[in-house]
Amino acid sequence: NSDLTIVDLDLEPEEYAIAVKKGNTELLDQVNGALFQGRQVVKPGELEPADAQVAYLGKEAGARETFKTIADKARMWKGRVIHILMVEQQAYVDYRMVLRNMLSESLSYHKQWKQKKTSHGRAGDLKAGTDEYFSGMAKGEKFIPVVTLVVHCGRERPWDGARCLHDLLDMDGQVAGFVTNYRMNLYDCHEHDTFDEYRTGLRQLFETLRYGGDKEGLKRVMEENREAYSSIDRDTRELLEVVAKVRIPEEYKVMKDGTEKFEVCKAFEDYRLEGKLEGRLEGERIGKQEQLVQMVCKKILKNKPAETIAEELEQDLPEIERVIAAQKEVGSCDVGRICEVLAKLPVQEAAV
């Protein structure tokens, strides 16, 4: 059904990692590698785009709220059975991820039902007053399955959050058997030592994320796969730079068979990979600062005082006051400009 729209739930800007950028080839590799252990279950040409939607979730606390629902990657899979594949790229551990997935999948099924109801209404093929008429669908009608894959791309530590609904609930054994559980499909590169199941630049990405904190381990992996690391394409280079925060200078670009490639091994040996080396720590520091600024700005827009913001974000009050002072100087919630002002403010400076 080309009209079917599958979505994912509301995501705040700081919750995004820039996902796999190149399209179906890498998405195909991601799904086959993570869900099917490298078996080529999903074939080339079987993935079709699926759109995003805006879902109205009704009234909450007396106010209307509209939640925009966005998936990092959403595709229709038309193999032997039609499925919806959604890939969530996570740069940090989101402790409510199970709830996010449950909501997104529920919205997807609800939209499918609405489409069925609308279709039957136009056709007038459900007899008035019957169970089918009140249900908005015929007995025996089926929905398209939705499969959500969460890919943890965090560089600092493995996923330590909930993996199923029961992990989030405070309950005893007497009621556990009556509470329906929901299990999350999670792929965390920190739980793997090898990545032979991947056939694209995702392998180099996950190896770099997995061994980024272990210089000798990363060196060993590169030596074992020297041919691949000595000839990565520009798209894989961008993945390494954007997701793994490993910068590969242009000077390591070479032309091989008329195609632009990059020699990562040589760059690593020359200690020019800015990521795990000196630039890595600075990049992580900047990323954390941008995330803090984004969260503080949201609190500011809700007119919360500095003391409350510091308590809710579990941050030192002087640091929150510095962010507020920078935001006032910028006059907007432009994160980039606020960070530029912060770089010029004394560390102990507080908001006036």
Side-chain angles (χ1 to χ4, degrees):
N1 186 341
S2 61
D3 294 330
L4 182 60
T5 301
I6 297 304
V7 301
D8 214 333
L9 70 159
D10 183 43
L11 301 179
E12 302 294 349
E14 71 269 19
E15 292 168 354
Y16 273 106
I18 296 182
V20 175
K21 300 176 63 178
K22 292 193 286 182
N24 278 1
T25 302
E26 276 61 39
L27 184 61
L28 191 79
D29 197 28
Q30 177 75 89
V31 171
N32 284 329
L35 294 182
F36 303 112
Q37 294 75 52
R39 291 181 290 115
Q40 301 303 293
V41 175
V42 184
K43 301 292 193 287
E46 292 183 350
L47 295 181
E48 297 181 2
D51 300 325
Q53 75 171 353
V54 174
Y56 173 57
L57 301 185
K59 295 183 178 180
E60 183 172 337
R64 292 174 59 91
E65 288 195 21
T66 300
F67 293 82
K68 181 175 289 186
T69 57
I70 304 172
D72 284 352
K73 289 287 180 182
R75 292 291 187 273
M76 291 283 293
W77 173 23
K78 294 190 176 183
R80 285 175 292 180
V81 181
I82 298 178
H83 292 69
I84 304 301
L85 300 176
M86 296 191 291
V87 179
E88 282 281 4
Q89 307 284 341
Q90 283 299 118
Y92 72 100
V93 178
D94 186 345
Y95 295 114
R96 56 163 187 153
M97 196 71 207
V98 171
L99 302 181
R100 284 172 49 184
N101 285 6
M102 288 176 61
L103 177 58
S104 67
E105 293 182 9
S106 295
L107 288 172
S108 298
Y109 290 125
H110 182 68
K111 181 168 185 183
Q112 291 184 52
W113 169 77
K114 287 182 66 176
Q115 290 175 330
K116 291 179 183 294
K117 181 180 179 181
T118 299
S119 178
H120 285 302
R122 290 172 179 169
D125 56 355
L126 299 181
K127 185 177 179 181
T130 63
D131 292 342
E132 291 184 334
Y133 180 81
F134 291 118
S135 300
M137 60 182 288
K139 178 182 177 180
E141 276 193 88
K142 304 295 184 182
F143 294 93
I144 296 175
V146 180
V147 179
T148 304
L149 170 64
V150 177
V151 181
H152 179 46
C153 295
R155 302 184 302 277
E156 296 183 355
R157 68 181 192 279
W159 185 275
D160 60 359
R163 295 172 182 243
C164 67
L165 179 60
H166 282 191
D167 290 343
L168 287 174
L169 302 181
D170 184 8
M171 60 182 178
D172 56 35
Q174 291 183 321
V175 300
F178 302 101
V179 180
T180 302
N181 199 9
Y182 172 91
R183 182 181 62 84
M184 182 172 69
N185 295 311
L186 173 70
Y187 183 84
D188 182 1
C189 63
H190 295 283
E191 297 177 351
H192 301 262
D193 294 324
T194 61
F195 302 90
D196 298 337
E197 62 269 30
Y198 292 101
R199 303 184 177 189
T200 67
L202 289 179
R203 173 173 178 170
Q204 286 73 50
L205 172 65
F206 289 136
E207 286 174 342
T208 303
L209 289 170
R210 170 66 175 84
Y211 295 103
D214 178 6
K215 179 180 168 183
E216 292 303 317
L218 183 58
K219 181 178 180 180
R220 173 180 55 79
V221 168
M222 287 187 177
E223 285 296 332
E224 292 174 353
N225 302 279
R226 191 174 187 87
E227 181 178 353
Y229 278 97
S230 295
S231 184
I232 69 168
D233 58 30
R234 180 170 287 277
D235 288 325
T236 301
R237 176 210 185 200
E238 289 181 3
L239 276 178
L240 292 175
E241 292 193 342
V242 173
V243 181
K245 304 302 181 186
V246 172
R247 293 190 56 209
I248 305 168
E250 282 285 331
E251 65 191 80
Y252 291 96
K253 178 176 69 177
V254 295
M255 298 300 294
K256 294 187 177 181
D257 298 325
T259 305
E260 188 178 80
K261 302 290 184 179
F262 290 85
E263 296 182 323
V264 179
C265 280
K266 189 174 188 305
F268 183 82
E269 291 167 355
D270 292 346
Y271 288 88
R272 294 297 302 277
L273 281 183
E274 301 174 23
K276 173 53 197 158
L277 305 179
E278 301 88 21
R280 173 71 170 272
L281 295 176
E282 178 64 14
E284 291 179 354
R285 184 193 66 78
I286 293 174
K288 290 180 179 179
Q289 183 183 66
E290 290 178 349
Q291 181 176 332
L292 175 62
V293 169
Q294 288 173 333
M295 291 189 292
V296 171
C297 283
K298 289 178 186 176
K299 306 291 184 182
I300 292 174
L301 293 175
K302 295 179 181 180
N303 296 318
K304 293 188 177 183
E307 293 78 6
T308 301
I309 297 175
E311 181 178 353
E312 291 180 353
L313 298 181
E314 298 182 348
Q315 297 287 330
D316 293 335
L317 179 58
E319 181 60 23
I320 297 300
E321 290 177 332
R322 287 183 69 247
V323 176
I324 293 175
Q327 189 274 332
K328 288 182 178 179
E329 182 172 333
V330 172
S332 70
C333 287
D334 186 317
V335 175
R337 292 179 59 195
I338 293 174
C339 288
E340 290 177 1
V341 173
L342 277 174
K344 303 174 184 178
L345 289 179
V347 175
Q348 297 300 323
E349 181 171 329
V352 179

